[in-house]
Amino acid sequence: MRRDPKNTNVIVGMSGGVDSSVAALRLVEQGYSVSGIFMQNWEDDDEHCTARQDYKDAKGVADKLNIPLSTVNFADEYWERVFAHFLTEYGAGRTPNPDILCNKEIKFNAFLDHAQEQGADVIATGHYAQVGYLSDQVQLLRGHDNNKDQSYFLYTLNQKQLGATLFPVGDMDKPVLRAMAQDAGIHVHNKKDSTGICFIGERKFNSFLAEYLPAQPGDIRTDAGEKIGNHNGLMFYTLGQRQGLGIGGLAKAEETPWYVLAKSLSDNTLIVGQGHDHPMLFRPELHSHDMHWVQGAPPDNEFSCTAKVRYRQQDQKASVRVLSPEHMHVRFKEPVRAITPGQSIVLYKDSVCLGGGIISDFNHSVGKEVGKEVGKEVGNDIGNGAGYDAGNDAGNAPAAV
């Protein structure tokens, strides 16, 4: 639904980054009545939090655009709705995506409610995504820039939320956006993109996690069951991880690199094998729970589409079978590497994001074979937890939009 800019009050979530700054710039140029709000979602009482500098940057941009900027503190909501869940899932051996949960609970829930209380007709953010309309349905579309598309992180949005949201930079390429910011004299035009989990900042992930969850060292075993070392705690390791395993110089082993294949929660064992394309890293199917459909319902009980099981992954051809309102089964045309329970699978039909869910288990036949190899019943444990792809998943999520 197209809105008349002159009669539309827009509140922009301004993070101090270039994306949300250009979002505000474009809305001002288009004639909207624009104001900004800076969200503080984490208490900034430590050296690793950049909130104070980010606010200064947002204020500088707002002053440049001659728009008002206010602040709102969602730290309590973030702790209760996002961070507590993050810790619970890690403690259970799963891998949540806090960026997706932040969008669901904070940016398009608490912030949207707050903005509307302040008189906003719509909100706007700097996400690289687009909104489309089909009859009376609102569609979530991929961003124009394939390298920056963030629809993966927005699949939990519903019709009401999408209908009250603008994505002013969703049709732009990032280099063009930075050039526009520079031409407009916006001082953050060359500010580094924020990546990673916002509440961790620049500190090491392992050190941060150890502050909240006790580490439990245990054995490292090969896929044949041989003990070859010790790990520092299963929560510190990533399915498919190569670096930081501390394995080397084994007399009978080839020089091929070692990778994390699975985690056995029942006996606190890290299972490793050699080779980037080790067969235990590939899964032909998965189940998911906590399903959300952007248009309120799936397109059919069975349908074909493409899917992503991590951000910036190439689309994978898939067949979907809806098992219940909350669950689905997905089979891929080709096996997919390093599927991680707790992360999200997001479904697409061409440029339209259909929805998604939380990856809940693996192909159990594969898990049972693993159990036979190591002489332990690890099939179910592997299905319940597989490592955190902090570098390639949440670590690549642009946090400041």
Side-chain angles (χ1 to χ4, degrees):
M1 179 179 66
R2 293 190 61 85
R3 299 175 181 271
D4 179 5
K6 294 181 181 180
N7 297 317
T8 304
N9 293 320
V10 184
I11 291 182
V12 184
M14 298 185 68
S15 67
V18 66
D19 298 332
S20 59
S21 298
V22 172
L25 169 65
R26 296 193 86 186
L27 292 170
V28 168
E29 291 180 341
Q30 291 167 12
Y32 287 93
S33 175
V34 181
S35 57
I37 289 181
F38 178 85
M39 289 175 272
Q40 183 175 331
N41 298 333
W42 190 258
E43 297 297 348
D44 62 346
D45 57 352
D46 64 67
E47 60 182 309
H48 302 284
C49 186
T50 62
R52 293 180 184 179
Q53 182 58 50
D54 290 339
Y55 171 73
K56 291 179 181 179
D57 287 337
K59 185 66 168 65
V61 173
D63 290 345
K64 177 69 177 179
L65 299 178
N66 195 29
I67 63 174
L69 177 72
S70 60
T71 64
V72 62
N73 190 315
F74 291 132
D76 288 344
E77 292 87 345
Y78 192 94
W79 184 281
E80 294 173 3
R81 303 182 195 178
V82 180
F83 188 63
H85 176 79
F86 171 87
L87 294 180
T88 298
E89 290 295 282
Y90 263 104
R94 292 181 291 270
T95 305
N97 190 312
D99 297 291
I100 291 174
L101 198 57
C102 179
N103 285 330
K104 176 182 179 182
E105 297 292 344
I106 306 300
K107 294 180 181 177
F108 296 90
N109 188 344
F111 171 62
L112 175 59
D113 290 345
H114 177 77
Q116 290 178 332
E117 290 173 359
Q118 299 301 308
D121 297 308
V122 292
I123 62 169
T125 71
H127 285 96
Y128 286 86
Q130 301 182 82
V131 171
Y133 294 90
L134 182 64
S135 298
D136 59 344
Q137 294 287 305
V138 190
Q139 296 178 313
L140 173 62
L141 308 178
R142 301 179 198 257
H144 173 74
D145 188 337
N146 289 331
N147 292 322
K148 293 294 182 179
D149 169 44
Q150 292 174 299
S151 58
Y152 176 89
F153 299 105
L154 300 170
Y155 79 87
T156 64
L157 300 192
N158 59 36
Q159 292 289 290
K160 181 179 178 181
Q161 292 165 326
L162 280 174
T165 301
L166 301 177
F167 296 122
V169 303
D171 62 346
M172 301 183 72
D173 291 318
K174 188 60 176 266
V176 175
L177 180 145
R178 287 194 180 276
M180 175 179 287
Q182 184 173 17
D183 290 344
I186 292 177
H187 73 286
V188 296
H189 65 87
N190 61 351
K191 185 176 181 178
K192 181 181 177 182
D193 288 340
S194 294
T195 59
I197 303 173
C198 57
F199 51 77
I200 294 179
E202 298 300 322
R203 79 192 91 183
K204 292 183 180 297
F205 178 81
N206 289 4
S207 299
F208 174 84
L209 197 58
E211 293 179 14
Y212 295 91
L213 295 175
Q216 296 180 318
D219 294 345
I220 298 178
R221 293 184 179 271
T222 69
D223 50 335
E226 178 185 0
K227 179 179 176 179
I228 59 172
N230 298 287
H231 65 76
N232 297 321
L234 292 180
M235 63 185 179
F236 297 133
Y237 297 88
T238 303
L239 188 66
Q241 177 180 330
R242 172 183 173 183
Q243 303 294 331
L245 301 183
I247 302 172
L250 300 182
K252 298 180 181 180
E254 299 178 359
E255 294 184 2
T256 307
W258 292 87
Y259 292 85
V260 174
L261 303 180
K263 299 195 293 186
S264 173
L265 302 181
S266 62
D267 58 7
N268 194 31
T269 299
L270 188 71
I271 302 167
V272 300
Q274 290 181 286
H276 178 274
D277 294 331
H278 192 289
M280 277 177 57
L281 282 174
F282 288 83
R283 308 278 174 175
E285 60 187 341
L286 61 80
H287 288 79
S288 69
H289 61 277
D290 288 350
M291 291 302 304
H292 174 81
W293 303 100
V294 175
Q295 294 188 316
D300 207 338
N301 288 332
E302 296 187 15
F303 59 93
S304 296
C305 63
T306 61
K308 294 178 183 289
V309 299
R310 63 177 54 83
Y311 180 52
R312 287 182 177 163
Q313 180 192 36
Q314 291 292 321
D315 281 31
Q316 307 294 312
K317 292 183 178 181
S319 298
V320 174
R321 181 161 56 95
V322 178
L323 304 176
S324 74
E326 291 289 319
H327 299 85
M328 72 174 180
H329 172 263
V330 179
R331 174 167 285 276
F332 300 101
K333 183 176 181 180
E334 301 290 341
V336 176
R337 185 179 186 273
I339 296 174
T340 305
Q343 289 285 301
S344 291
I345 177 170
V346 180
L347 309 179
Y348 294 87
K349 197 70 172 182
D350 300 321
S351 63
V352 179
C353 178
L354 302 176
I358 307 298
I359 299 170
S360 53
D361 63 31
F362 292 140
N363 180 338
H364 289 295
S365 64
V366 177
K368 291 176 182 177
E369 290 302 316
V370 175
K372 294 176 183 177
E373 288 288 337
V374 298
K376 300 178 179 66
E377 187 58 41
V378 301
N380 291 333
D381 291 318
I382 292 169
N384 286 330
Y388 179 53
D389 203 342
N392 293 327
D393 295 328
N396 281 330
V401 294

